[in-house]
Amino acid sequence: MAVAKFEVPELKEYPIIPKLKKGAMAHSAPYVAKEKFQTPLGYPGELIDNWKEVAIEKMGELTNKYRSLSVYLDSCVKCGACTDKCHYYLGTTDPKNMPVARQDLFRKVYRRYYTLAGKLAPKLVGAEDLTEEVLDDWYTYFHQCSQCRRCSVYCPYGIDTAEISMAAREIMDTVGKGQKYCNEIISKAQILGNNLGLPEPALVNTLEGLEEDIEEETGVVVKMPLDVKGADVLLITPSADFFAEPHIDGLIGYAKVFHEAGISWTMSSYASEAANFGMFIGSYENMQKLALRIRQAALDLGVKRIVFGECGHAWRVAYSFLNTLAGPFDFLDQNYPVPQHICEVTHGLIEDGSIKLDKSGNDHMTLTYHDSCNVARASRMGDKPGGQFTIPRDIIKASCNNYYDMPEHSIKEGTFCCGGGGGLLTDDLIELRVKGAMPRMQALKQVTEQNGVTHMAAICAICKSQFSKIFPYYDFEMDQIVSVHQLVSNAIVLTGQTNGESDDEDSTSNDVETA
Ligand code: SF4
Ligand code: SF4
C-alpha cells in the first residue's frame, strides 16, 4: 500500500453514509495561479483591489447569460436527495462537500445581491455578503467538485452543481484567483497545441518509436501518421496517449483498428490535444480557442472526418459543444457524425465484420468497466439512447472472454467519479483524489472479491491517470487500469502488410502527402 500522510478511507463491504465531520477538508486547496498563467488567458495576475465589486458584477452577467444557472440557484427546495451522492462527501465526510452545501456557498451570495428578499432581510433567507472568508471557502470547496454531475441525476429538479462550480471558478478567475494546474495547462495547449507542451519533433519521435514497437511485436507495419494532408480521418486524442501508461496502449489500439479497416488517418501536431480544460474553469472563450485549433487542423489537412480518442471531458466538449464553438463543419463528410468517437468507429467495424477480434488475446485478464462521468452523464454515443453505456461494453465483450459489471448503483448514469476529474488531477490535491476515489474503489473491490476481476477498463485519460496513481493506496496495482482500445489491440487479428513488405491496399497513408 502507498504511504499516505492522511487517513485513507476504509473500504466497507457495503456503501454507508458517513457521519459528518465539519471542516474535514477545509485545509485542502490547490495552488493559486501566478501571473504568468493568468494573463495569457485574459485574467488579472493576482487578486484585484476591487475584487468584490467585479465578482458580484460577473455573477450577474453569468446568471443572465446562462439561464440554467439562475434556475438552479432559485429552485433548490432543500429536499436532501443529493446529500449522500457526491463521492467527495462520501470519501471525506466534510459536510461542505454535500452538493447542496456546495451550491449554497454560491447561492447565499447570489441571494444577497440578486434577490429582493436577500437585499431586504438577508438573514431570513440565508443570504450572505461576499467576504474574503467566503471567497476562500469558494476556492477550497469549488476545487473539491469534479463537475461529475452525479448529484444532478438524483435531484428531483435536475440541479447541476457542476454548472455552479464552473461559474464559481470563472468568477474567481475574473478577479485574479485562478487555479494553477488548470490555467497552466490551458496556456500550454493554446500555445503549443497540447496540455503537455510536447513540440512536434517529440511527437514525431514518439510515433516512430511506437511504429517500431508494433512491428517488432506483431510483424505488421502499422502506421502512426502525423500531419498527413488528404487523409480521411483526423484523430484528436488526449496528449497523455502519446506517452502515459496505459493510455499509449490505447493509441496503439486505434492505429491497429484504422490499419485493419483500411481507413486513411492522421493526427495533427497543431491540434495534438483532445482535452479542453477551458470547460473546467467555465470559460467559453478559452474553450473556444482550443476548439478552433481542431477546426483549423481539419481544414489545413483537408480531412473528411474528425474522430476523438479516449478522453471523457473531451468527448463532452466535442459532442455537446464543438459545433457551436467552432462550427459549422459543413466541409466534412456529412455521412458521418461530426464529430465521432473512436468507440463508435470501432464498434461499427466490429458489427460489420471489417475487423476480427480474437478474445483469447485478453484471457490473462478478467475485466470490469468504469463509466467516465462526462461520457456517462453529459454525452451520448451511437444513434440509440444509452449508447454511451452499451458501445464501450460491447467492444470490451467482443475483445475478451471474462467480463463483469460493478454494482448497478456505481455504473452507467450513477457512475462514481474517479476522484480526479474536473481539473483536480494534480498532486497538490492528492488527499482529495484518494478520498474521492473511495466509492469507486469499494465497488471495484466488490467485483474483485466476488467475480475475480483483475483489471478495470476506461475510456478517459484523466480516469486512467488518476487510477494508476491512487490504486496503490487501496492495495491495487497501478497496471490494473487499462484502456478499452488496449483490449482491442490485444485481440485484433492483423492482416495486410507483414514483415515490413508494402501492401498498398492496406496502407494507411496511401495517396496522401505529408504536410
Ligand atoms: S458534480 Fe459531482 S463532484 Fe460536484 S458536487 Fe455533484 S457529485 Fe459532487
Ligand atoms: S436534491 Fe436538488 S432540490 Fe434537493 S437539496 Fe439537492 S439540489 Fe436541492
Side-chain angles (χ1 to χ4, degrees), residues 375-396:
V375 175
R377 287 186 284 262
S379 73
R380 271 191 182 176
M381 278 184 205
D383 53 7
K384 294 188 190 78
Q388 73 272 35
F389 309 131
T390 54
I391 286 176
R393 283 176 173 78
D394 285 351
I395 296 173
I396 298 171

Side-chain angles (χ1 to χ4, degrees), residues 85-88 97 99 102 144-151 161-162:
K85 301 302 185 290
C86 176
H87 52 292
Y88 289 123
N97 276 330
R102 198 184 317 283
Q144 296 189 32
C145 169
S146 56
Q147 306 172 344
C148 78
R149 311 183 81 220
R150 187 170 194 266
C151 48
T161 320

Side-chain angles (χ1 to χ4, degrees), residues 368-371 392-393 396 403-404 406 411 456-459 484:
T368 192
Y369 176 65
H370 165 75
D371 293 276
R393 283 176 173 78
I396 298 171
Y403 178 82
Y404 296 93
M406 286 181 277
I411 59 171
M456 182 163 72
I459 52 167
V484 166

Side-chain angles (χ1 to χ4, degrees), residues 255-274:
K256 288 184 181 174
V257 167
F258 287 132
H259 168 93
E260 196 51 33
I263 297 170
S264 74
W265 69 292
T266 186
M267 289 168 276
S268 157
S269 60
Y270 179 72
S272 45
E273 183 60 72

